[in-house]
Amino acid sequence: MDLDQVTAFLEVARKKSFSRAAEKLYRTQPAISAQIRALEIECGQKLFDRMGRKIFLTPAGKVLFECGENLLSLHRETLQRVREANGAAGGTLVIGANEATCLYVLPQVFAEFKRNYPQVAISIYRNFSQKILLKMAESQIDVGIVTLPVAQSNLKVIPIFEDELQVVVPAGHRLAKRASVKMEDLVEEQLIFPKGGHTRELLEKIFRKQRSRLQISMELASVESIKKFVGAGLGISLISRSYAEAETKANILKLIPLQGPKLVRRLGLVYRTDRHLSRAAQAFTEIVHSRNSKASS
Amino acid sequence: MDLDQVTAFLEVARKKSFSRAAEKLYRTQPAISAQIRALEIECGQKLFDRMGRKIFLTPAGKVLFECGENLLSLHRETLQRVREANGAAGGTLVIGANEATCLYVLPQVFAEFKRNYPQVAISIYRNFSQKILLKMAESQIDVGIVTLPVAQSNLKVIPIFEDELQVVVPAGHRLAKRASVKMEDLVEEQLIFPKGGHTRELLEKIFRKQRSRLQISMELASVESIKKFVGAGLGISLISRSYAEAETKANILKLIPLQGPKLVRRLGLVYRTDRHLSRAAQAFTEIVHSRNSKASS
DNA sequence: CTAATGGATAAATATTACTTATTCAATCCA
DNA sequence: TGGATTGAATAAGTAATATTTATCCATTAG
């Protein structure tokens, strides 16, 4: 049982396809087939049921799926520990973060990080919190920054940031002078909303509670484009205060609090407690943490 | 970092020699050198200090030495779990046991074991308790049967057997009629003693306490040969009661208790709590355990 | 000072893994 | 239903990797 074979096996099991796994691993399908076959021979039993063109894990396959991940993790950890034995942090630090964090948090953090750890390569997996937690479970990410709350027993969570969702309108908008707005005020407006993700879910929930039917005129995937669109007078939206700092200062956009209880969005740093944290990852969490304590004090 | 490379590395570290490790792994020395070199390149640092013809682990090497064992263990465990996923026990069960256990305990245990698990191959590492615990620490043994007490935090200990050391003399010996003998009686005799091992240590200690100088006329490595020699009138010895059952029944040897506190020798089953116990190993311990409960009731 | 030991190196060879080309079966869709 | 397509297995050729053989060099033991 080679680590390469286990890697191939896990990828096949995840993708539920020999061909897809082959692509991901930059080899051809027969190569993957051969590796799986070798594994099956060594284990004395089939790992996949080939039902026509669909494949399923056998009981033995399920066992290997669980154990295999641990094995590869321990392998990575071992390599890391040895490499860092001289005291230096090195290797690659893989961070998972959502779009907003990438734009408004990570640049400053990495500025400080790179100053102290220039040797460390950084890889960022940008996606919704949910996806990040998924990659985390597969041990493909060292540290994640996600929307709270998360409830997983094997994750350490450090709250780092919290922000209020406010209505954002273009500078000359009819609501721009208001000190606050009600939900009802929004119904008549062209609404531009994020597409997918935690914030979107939150907004859906609120509108359902208010019994207002959410009348969305546009859906956009990024905060930046939402701001641009709002700025161009195409509609209004709800975003985290801090994401529009520059535009409010420049008097392009206006932020207005919603009446009623604040809509708070909390971000937190997460990492697995059942995995070794590389020196680089430790350093990263410390920087984020220290910036956070400074900010909140 | 290949598992093969790690295996080679660990062997070199244990043997403190590339050549010896090569022999053990059935390859040539340059092959081992190449594997270590590849590891060193991948880790970005030397794993061994080559000081002339002696080699030492570098700090990084020490790290790999610790982590590597865990990695290989997890690898073995993974393979085992998958192989046993169908519910059947298989593979090889490696037992560590001292000579006496091999002769007087294991045959009966394995008779029962093989009846229920004919598929399992059995490998026995026969040596003194101390060596067995060493191999155990290297994860090269599944279950051990050793002289108690053992005090190691990661070992589960199940007492299975206890026996009294008694004086053994040939049937026609001048002490043969005695109901018991004193230490002093032994001084005038030709003493045949085991060579090395726990029992020997125990006897040494006792004699030191009694301030008698141990006057050994012969040292033998096995219980069987001690009995033969005693039977042939070459001297007398001290052995566990149960090891001479056949000979006392056949009236070849005579066992006589020592005066004073009994010299008890306790055996126990041990296995590591921080390692996965194969189905076969579980079955083995259960058989030993059940035989023990029956015997003591 | 010589012989022997132990590891490094180089070239040749064996082994293993991978790719390309192809086949076969299952599923999709018209 | 019947091509068309997808996905995995197989076979043969090729590339990559590991291992051996042969040799060298440094250290150490006698």
Side-chain angles (χ1 to χ4, degrees), chain B residues 18-20 29-30 33 50 53:
Chain B
F18 283 61
S19 307
R20 296 298 90 69
Q29 167 262 313
S33 287
R50 282 83 157 170
R53 60 210 295 182

Side-chain angles (χ1 to χ4, degrees), chain A residues 240-278:
Chain A
S240 289
R241 275 193 67 83
S242 57
Y243 299 167
E245 261 181 19
E247 287 83 355
T248 50
K249 268 188 193 153
N251 226 11
I252 300 166
L253 300 178
K254 190 85 203 311
L255 282 164
I256 313 163
L258 270 172
Q259 281 180 24
K262 283 186 183 176
L263 297 182
V264 180
R265 178 161 184 255
R266 294 180 303 126
L267 290 178
L269 203 77
V270 296
Y271 57 84
R272 289 179 64 157
T273 51
D274 56 348
R275 295 272 182 266
H276 176 245
L277 209 60
S278 73

Side-chain angles (χ1 to χ4, degrees), chain B residues 60-114:
Chain B
K62 281 176 188 158
V63 172
L64 184 56
F65 189 64
E66 285 170 32
C67 298
E69 229 158 50
N70 289 328
L71 185 61
L72 292 189
S73 281
L74 189 59
H75 171 243
R76 267 195 298 274
E77 181 183 326
T78 301
L79 191 54
Q80 207 166 55
R81 285 189 124 110
V82 178
R83 279 181 166 153
E84 292 178 350
N86 58 9
T92 301
L93 172 63
V94 186
I95 301 290
N98 57 20
E99 191 219 356
T101 307
C102 288
L103 291 171
Y104 309 109
V105 180
L106 293 188
Q108 293 88 317
V109 172
F110 283 131
E112 188 175 341
F113 183 84
K114 270 284 178 188

